[in-house]
Amino acid sequence: MNISIMLGLLTGLLCNWGTFFLNIANTLDYNGDVTMFSRIRFKKARILFQVILTLFSFFGFNEAVLAARYRNAVYISNFDAHMSMAASTVNQASWVGYAGSGAEASLAGDPGNLKYNESPLKLLDHALQNLVDNSAIDDPDKSVDLVIGIAGYDFYRKKDAPKLSSLADYRYTMYQHCQNTANKEEHFKCMAKAIFSEKGFRVESVRLVGDHTLMAAGAAYWLERNKQKGSNFDLIHATTIAVPYQIRDEKITPMSAKLPEWLRMSGGYWEVGKNVSQSWLSSLPTTDKHWADYISSDAVRQTLNASDYVQDYDRVQSKEHAMLKRWEHTGVNTLGYQAGRILDTEQKQDYLTGDHAVRLETYDKAQQQLTPVMNKTIESIAAIINTKQIEYYFGLAVDERYPIVIMGEFSSNALKTQASQATLLKSLPESSRDRVRFVPGDSFFDNLAGGSRKLLPADGQ
């Protein structure tokens, strides 16, 4: 039975019992047919039930307002969106949703940065639909607080809100409700509220922050969950690139400004994609008749072409080899994601089955060729850590140093094996190795849920 119905029935019974006893107490009191001792007992009973009914009324335990309240945390990077929903008083995720331009062909070319007017909304919308399709949230009135961490927030939030003339046809009609917003932040919050309302959620509040802010809160929650202090640590936000932050007394300070130029766009999917594009997708054939030979001549190109993602995109565009052609110039992050997916043996069957399937030996060879590219990217994360550790801790004793937490969608995938973690650790001095904390990828959604709770006031308002 739905908990709202059960509490409603309980409330009704208590109300009926309370009325019954109050009527008896009043009747006996008015008639004066009882002893003084009995009268005192009935007065106490009347006061007790009045207190109980007042408390039930105060907390809203009736069928009209017994809607469950939820907290929805959304992490939107430059190319994907992770969504984690939980009851307002719970840290762990109850339901999750995901959408990614690197994983869904229909979203290719839609970055999740606040710089763009509609692309991040598409990711948000798809992630919410994914959550709804795979959940059993049966409350008729779903009250939700939104915490959205989005890439580009710090730079673009105060930029002018988009005009109707600058928008494409996506959610065109919904824009009518958000025409009077002052800036991109207010516009995105208004549109997010409209998207959730369309799916049947009653949005109570929307808080927009930078993607790194939500990630830092999630990392702090993970540390505390593992019996460590979450107020002071160093964070490597491993996303499309790896970005270092200092968290001190829960305050976040970005530390990438002084990185050498060669490290500023490294340590994530962008670096992987750039290297794969240069090594395997340069000098594309100028005529269609040469494409078959071009693809079949290399294991990496064959395996990329065999993926459902590439084939789905070609069907969406109604053009053969559309994605491989695109990757020569744009979509570096999605190429890095797809290359990393080849290295994930859990995805093997995607490449060994279907109309464009490759043989096992071809797949194995592609993995062998791509492994050095991934290892180089992982070593870039180690180089960032080494560079910043000298700056952070020069002259300090080892016991004055804080944990180094590596967390993000790139590390969730690329650093989930002991071999990949060993690649990173061997590039660090021993004084740093013991302080590195690899946040498990399978805790990603729970960390978003727990982190988002830290970013809301205690009452969820």
Side-chain angles (χ1 to χ4, degrees):
M1 182 182 293
N2 189 293
I3 190 170
S4 299
I5 297 175
M6 293 176 65
L7 287 174
L9 291 174
L10 177 59
T11 303
L13 288 172
L14 283 171
C15 289
N16 289 334
W17 293 342
T19 302
F20 174 72
F21 281 109
L22 288 173
N23 286 337
I24 292 176
N26 286 330
T27 301
L28 293 174
D29 195 24
Y30 290 150
N31 293 337
D33 292 333
V34 293
T35 64
M36 180 62 70
F37 178 74
S38 297
R39 185 178 293 121
I40 291 172
R41 284 193 302 172
F42 276 116
K43 285 185 176 179
K44 288 183 176 179
R46 180 169 59 190
I47 292 171
L48 175 62
F49 273 99
Q50 284 175 334
V51 171
I52 291 173
L53 294 177
T54 300
L55 287 173
F56 267 71
S57 175
F58 177 78
F59 286 110
F61 289 153
N62 58 68
E63 192 63 28
V65 294
L66 268 174
R69 186 149 181 171
Y70 299 97
R71 183 182 66 261
N72 194 305
V74 190
Y75 167 80
I76 305 178
S77 73
N78 277 296
F79 79 121
D80 65 3
H82 294 75
M83 182 175 292
S84 176
M85 180 171 279
S88 60
T89 57
V90 175
N91 281 324
Q92 284 76 30
S94 300
W95 302 281
V96 302
Y98 175 79
S101 61
E104 299 175 43
S106 63
L107 293 171
D110 281 314
N113 198 295
L114 192 61
K115 172 183 178 180
Y116 303 98
N117 297 325
E118 297 166 299
S119 292
L121 291 171
K122 289 184 183 181
L123 291 172
L124 176 73
D125 194 3
H126 277 242
L128 180 58
Q129 188 62 55
N130 180 255
L131 181 147
V132 170
D133 289 344
N134 295 285
S135 304
I137 310 172
D138 56 1
D139 299 282
D141 186 12
K142 300 178 283 290
S143 178
V144 63
D145 296 291
L146 302 182
V147 180
I148 303 174
I150 184 169
Y153 171 80
D154 294 318
F155 187 79
Y156 293 104
R157 66 190 182 94
K158 295 302 182 183
K159 301 290 184 182
D160 291 341
K163 305 298 183 185
L164 186 60
S165 60
S166 66
L167 301 177
D169 58 357
Y170 176 76
R171 295 289 175 186
Y172 162 88
T173 55
M174 191 177 287
Y175 173 79
Q176 306 300 327
H177 303 291
C178 302
Q179 293 189 68
N180 297 320
T181 49
N183 50 49
K184 280 184 175 287
E185 178 178 17
E186 295 304 317
H187 172 76
F188 190 87
K189 288 166 69 173
C190 178
M191 292 294 286
K193 184 174 181 178
I195 289 171
F196 271 79
S197 298
E198 184 185 57
K199 298 291 195 298
F201 294 89
R202 182 160 59 90
V203 179
E204 299 289 349
S205 66
V206 185
R207 183 175 183 195
L208 209 63
V209 297
D211 56 339
H212 61 280
T213 300
L214 181 55
M215 196 78 350
Y221 164 73
W222 180 81
L223 284 170
E224 292 165 3
R225 190 178 175 188
N226 287 275
K227 312 303 181 186
Q228 301 178 62
K229 292 183 179 180
S231 57
N232 295 289
F233 60 95
D234 301 333
L235 173 67
I236 301 296
H237 181 196
T239 171
T240 53
I241 60 175
V243 187
Y245 295 89
Q246 267 192 345
I247 288 79
R248 299 292 183 268
D249 296 324
E250 300 183 352
K251 294 181 180 180
I252 307 170
T253 304
M255 301 298 289
S256 58
K258 296 181 182 179
L259 283 175
E261 190 69 30
W262 65 277
L263 277 179
R264 291 185 186 177
M265 294 295 290
S266 64
Y269 287 124
W270 194 91
E271 181 179 359
V272 175
K274 180 187 62 132
N275 289 328
V276 171
S277 178
Q278 291 175 348
S279 298
W280 285 280
L281 293 173
S282 59
S283 303
L284 300 183
T286 55
T287 60
D288 289 341
K289 67 179 182 179
H290 294 127
W291 266 94
D293 291 338
Y294 177 75
I295 292 173
S296 63
S297 64
D298 182 84
V300 170
R301 289 196 287 266
Q302 284 187 68
T303 309
L304 284 170
N305 189 61
S307 72
D308 291 340
Y309 177 79
V310 169
Q311 296 305 317
D312 286 346
Y313 184 81
D314 291 354
R315 282 190 287 270
V316 168
Q317 298 296 317
S318 299
K319 294 179 182 178
E320 199 172 15
H321 314 306
M323 181 54 81
L324 297 182
K325 292 175 182 177
R326 177 190 178 95
W327 275 337
E328 184 185 23
H329 305 290
T330 62
V332 173
N333 287 327
T334 64
L335 175 55
Y337 176 87
Q338 286 294 319
R341 199 169 178 272
I342 291 173
L343 292 169
D344 185 354
T345 54
E346 294 177 5
Q347 311 299 329
K348 179 188 295 187
Q349 290 307 310
D350 181 21
Y351 305 98
L352 302 183
T353 59
D355 295 338
H356 295 79
V358 297
R359 295 178 300 176
L360 180 59
E361 53 265 37
T362 301
Y363 172 78
D364 289 341
K365 185 175 181 180
Q367 281 197 319
Q368 292 170 7
Q369 291 177 312
L370 288 171
T371 295
V373 176
M374 183 61 73
N375 286 346
K376 181 178 181 297
T377 303
I378 292 171
E379 289 165 359
S380 293
I381 297 177
I384 290 172
I385 293 174
N386 284 330
T387 301
K388 303 317 291 184
Q389 294 312 293
I390 294 173
E391 180 182 339
Y392 291 168
Y393 296 117
F394 181 77
L396 293 182
V398 172
D399 60 1
E400 297 179 81
R401 304 182 179 191
Y402 297 113
I404 304 167
V405 179
I406 304 177
M407 181 177 175
E409 67 274 24
F410 176 76
S411 61
S412 293
N413 296 322
L415 293 173
K416 66 181 181 181
T417 66
Q418 289 185 343
S420 59
Q421 292 177 12
T423 297
L424 188 146
L425 292 175
K426 73 181 182 181
S427 299
L428 298 176
E430 291 187 11
S431 59
S432 295
R433 291 175 194 171
D434 291 341
R435 295 187 294 114
V436 171
R437 307 288 184 269
F438 297 101
V439 179
D442 58 8
S443 70
F444 195 93
F445 289 102
D446 281 344
N447 295 331
L448 291 184
S452 67
R453 195 175 178 195
K454 286 177 166 290
L455 297 176
L456 285 175
D459 60 0
Q461 298 296 325

